[in-house]
Amino acid sequence: MPRPRRGKSLPRSAAAEVTSHPRGARRQLPGGMDARRFLRDYWQKRALLIRAAFPAAELTYDRADLFSLARNPDVESRLVLERAGDYPWQVQHGPFSAARMRRLPASHWSLLVQGVNFHWPRAAALLEEFSFIPNWRVDDLMVSYASDHGSVGPHLDSYDVFLLQAAGRRRWRISSSRYQESDLIPGLDLRILGNFRHSQEWLLEPGDMLYLPPGIAHHGIAVGESITCSIGFRAPSSSELLGALLDSQRINEFRIEDPGLGLQAHPGEITAHQRTLLRRLLRDALPDDEALDRWLGRQLTLLPPSVPSPAHGRALAAPAFLARLKRGKSLIRAVPARTAFTRARSGGIHLFINGAEFELPGRSAALAAQITGPGPIRWKPGRSAASRREGSLLLSLHRAGLLQFSD
Ligand code: SIN
Ligand code: CO
């Protein structure tokens, strides 16, 4: 389903525990496939069905929780009404009151709730199981509830997605044909393919998961009531990044100057020399690599505009904070969080959380990896200056509400 443009924790299974790498990316997919094999053979290449990727009992998503999230005006939700709207495939945007949801018929509609990981810690924990893909490529977790026969129609997406069946059953059909703009039914709220012919189909049960690379036409139809988690990735385009760079006013502003302008034979000609000047003006507008990398880190970790940052934490005094860590207490990222880090050419580390930037010395790379990786952050204070610096970073992240103690 195309994502709209603008933007009780999950108990980890025994299998997932084994797949975790203490300080880095998950080495296995949910269900056990080796992550290197997945990246080599499937990522951005072909579809993959994984049966029993998660124990069904761990996927505790229910309709009542989802409907109440869709009442929240800060949450992006949509209703897709195949038959019950004013016209076929009508899309309505939330928030949706309980009374509105009660008026819906028994079949042929879906509720899609975007960015659930920014609101529910268990959804954020679920996303961590996908950390074999870099954080900055992860978009969000969308959860959809479909009534019997509910669907968003056959369509193409321009991003990779894992479709995890959380409750009920859904029949997924995919096509090996390549579709184009001209195959879309004109005039609908959704980009639906008019001539979709499937080449494969599977009935997904709770815990089953289907990976689809971009551009594979697919159609998921609920068989009875169904809840699907869609782990969506993003692949920023040049126009999105350039647009954001322009909006952030980080480009170098120059204006054409030509005091040596000579008389030209034809005023209509943009001469080779003038074209060189204009091209240079555009290319020089980009910040240097270091500044661009830092902007990218901030930009790619921004929360969607509607999602508020976590509230500030309890202002613990430094000794009390450090004493807790010394006793072995661990920290976790607060929800919502988008995190990343870069290694600068100078050797230093730039850590990014929710669009904010923190600088660390190169020797603190392991801490940056923990803060931005899956699982809790385990750190013990030491006596060195480097350790004191790390401790004060952790304290300020805790005070800013970005990290919290796990219990
Ligand atoms: C999709 O087809 O991309 C997901 C649709 C859904 O969850 O309803
Ligand atoms: Co889709």
Side-chain angles (χ1 to χ4, degrees):
M1 174 71 181
R3 276 140 209 267
R5 284 274 140 238
R6 310 147 291 260
K8 130 192 151 179
S9 83
L10 179 82
R12 205 159 280 139
S13 63
E17 214 44 83
V18 175
T19 67
S20 67
H21 185 245
R23 307 233 167 214
R26 296 260 185 266
R27 299 297 180 96
Q28 290 180 0
L29 269 68
M33 179 184 279
D34 178 67
R36 286 181 205 277
R37 183 174 156 222
F38 169 75
L39 293 171
R40 188 191 61 212
D41 296 341
Y42 296 96
W43 174 251
Q44 298 239 308
K45 299 171 200 73
R46 48 197 176 105
L48 172 68
L49 174 72
I50 304 175
R51 292 280 180 201
F54 287 86
E58 288 186 1
L59 300 168
T60 52
Y61 293 83
D62 70 30
R63 161 193 156 122
D65 284 352
L66 202 60
F67 285 15
S68 78
L69 198 56
R71 287 207 291 270
N72 181 340
D74 288 339
V75 174
E76 206 177 300
S77 56
R78 288 168 291 169
L79 269 175
V80 176
L81 307 166
E82 182 178 346
R83 294 188 180 168
D86 300 331
Y87 47 86
W89 298 108
Q90 187 181 13
V91 176
Q92 294 177 349
H93 293 268
F96 299 108
S97 66
R100 169 74 188 106
M101 298 308 288
R102 272 197 300 275
R103 281 200 308 274
L104 289 164
S107 71
H108 290 86
W109 60 269
S110 305
L111 170 74
L112 312 175
V113 183
Q114 213 70 50
V116 176
N117 55 300
F118 299 125
H119 300 277
W120 291 352
R122 66 189 142 128
L126 178 66
L127 274 193
E128 292 191 356
E129 301 301 329
F130 296 82
S131 67
F132 47 90
I133 303 295
N135 297 1
W136 71 272
R137 290 285 268 114
V138 176
D139 191 3
D140 71 349
L141 179 81
M142 176 181 93
V143 183
S144 69
Y145 166 85
S147 61
D148 184 29
H149 222 274
S151 134
V152 298
H155 64 281
L156 294 166
D157 292 318
S158 47
Y159 52 81
D160 308 78
V161 67
F162 284 91
L163 297 154
L164 167 63
Q165 193 59 27
R169 296 186 300 163
R170 188 185 277 256
R171 191 177 310 285
W172 282 102
R173 294 179 168 153
I174 67 169
S175 173
S176 54
S177 308
R178 291 274 142 204
Y179 291 94
Q180 291 155 7
E181 281 293 300
S182 54
D183 297 309
L184 298 173
I185 303 174
L188 295 181
D189 289 354
L190 290 174
R191 293 163 60 82
I192 292 182
L193 295 166
N195 52 355
F196 176 78
R197 304 252 176 291
H198 68 276
S199 49
Q200 274 179 292
E201 78 165 43
W202 304 277
L203 183 65
L204 267 68
E205 307 269 352
D208 294 346
M209 184 163 78
L210 177 63
Y211 163 75
L212 295 177
I216 294 210
H218 55 284
H219 190 195
I221 307 163
V223 178
E225 288 177 290
S226 154
I227 294 181
T228 303
C229 292
S230 147
I231 295 96
F233 295 85
R234 56 184 173 162
S237 70
S238 45
S239 57
E240 283 161 14
L241 288 179
L242 281 173
L245 187 63
L246 209 55
D247 287 348
S248 68
Q249 301 189 332
R250 293 284 165 166
I251 63 160
N252 299 317
E253 180 71 350
F254 299 113
R255 195 174 288 283
I256 285 286
E257 291 176 10
D258 51 2
L261 184 68
L263 181 66
Q264 35 185 96
H266 309 291
E269 183 177 1
I270 308 170
T271 64
H273 172 66
Q274 291 162 359
R275 294 198 306 273
T276 305
L277 285 181
L278 287 160
R279 284 197 303 266
R280 194 179 300 149
L281 181 88
L282 285 174
R283 294 198 174 115
D284 288 352
L286 283 187
D288 64 42
D289 283 0
E290 164 99 16
L292 199 52
D293 287 353
R294 294 173 63 174
W295 175 81
L296 282 166
R298 295 192 297 271
Q299 179 65 27
L300 293 170
T301 55
L302 281 177
L303 295 173
S306 63
V307 177
S309 268
H312 277 245
R314 198 153 59 89
L316 278 182
F321 177 78
L322 294 172
R324 280 204 200 183
L325 290 170
K326 208 170 195 162
R327 286 203 304 276
K329 298 270 178 216
S330 54
L331 291 162
I332 51 172
R333 286 161 296 285
V335 171
R338 266 190 171 154
T339 63
F341 76 92
T342 58
R343 293 175 215 259
R345 206 171 292 163
S346 61
I349 301 287
H350 296 282
L351 169 70
F352 306 96
I353 308 180
N354 297 353
E357 181 179 346
F358 307 87
E359 279 189 67
L360 289 164
R363 70 175 81 89
S364 295
L367 180 62
Q370 277 211 72
I371 294 173
T372 59
I377 299 145
R378 296 185 204 286
W379 182 89
K380 287 213 167 157
R383 290 180 192 284
S384 66
S387 175
R388 278 203 297 279
R389 201 167 159 187
E390 290 189 353
S392 68
L393 171 78
L394 290 172
L395 177 59
S396 53
L397 296 180
H398 178 263
R399 285 184 178 160
L402 299 169
L403 298 180
Q404 58 195 45
F405 282 101
S406 56
D407 53 25

